Amino acid sequence: MTENIELSDNARIGHMREIFSAAVAAVEPEAAVLRALEHHKPLIESSDGIFVAALGKAAVPMAKAARNLLGDRIRGGVAVTKDGHGGDIE
């Protein structure tokens, strides 16, 4: 049976902030790339070279995250982003 709990406005706002912060952190580009690469770790470790492709407004931070994790395993790559969202990957 579900219990109905009354929360103050401040408590509700606090919970909403926590939920929002967790949602933003979950889709943060660097963290998302690191999770994806960790998921494919066996394939990455057995590879003799990796080509990185990052697309979208978050392409640069995603490519940086891949570079930071994969380092010399990267054989090439491309990052395509919207005008004004570019930057150095090195």
Side-chain angles (χ1 to χ4, degrees):
M1 183 176 273
T2 305
E3 186 177 328
N4 191 6
I5 300 172
E6 292 291 325
L7 296 175
S8 69
D9 287 344
N10 285 341
R12 281 190 203 121
I13 291 169
H15 287 298
M16 286 188 283
R17 284 185 177 148
E18 287 177 28
I19 293 166
F20 179 77
S21 294
V24 170
V27 297
E28 191 271 327
E30 291 90 349
V33 167
L34 295 177
R35 278 193 310 275
L37 293 175
E38 183 63 30
H39 179 74
H40 295 287
K41 190 173 184 176
L43 180 62
I44 291 168
E45 289 176 346
S46 67
S47 173
D48 60 352
I50 297 171
F51 186 86
V52 174
L55 308 171
K57 290 186 282 186
V60 171
M62 290 188 305
K64 284 181 183 180
R67 186 213 56 216
N68 290 339
L69 184 69
L70 301 172
D72 291 340
R73 291 186 182 138
I74 296 175
R75 298 293 177 250
V78 61
V80 180
T81 190
K82 184 177 179 179
D83 191 34
H85 291 269
D88 291 330
I89 295 174
E90 298 279 340

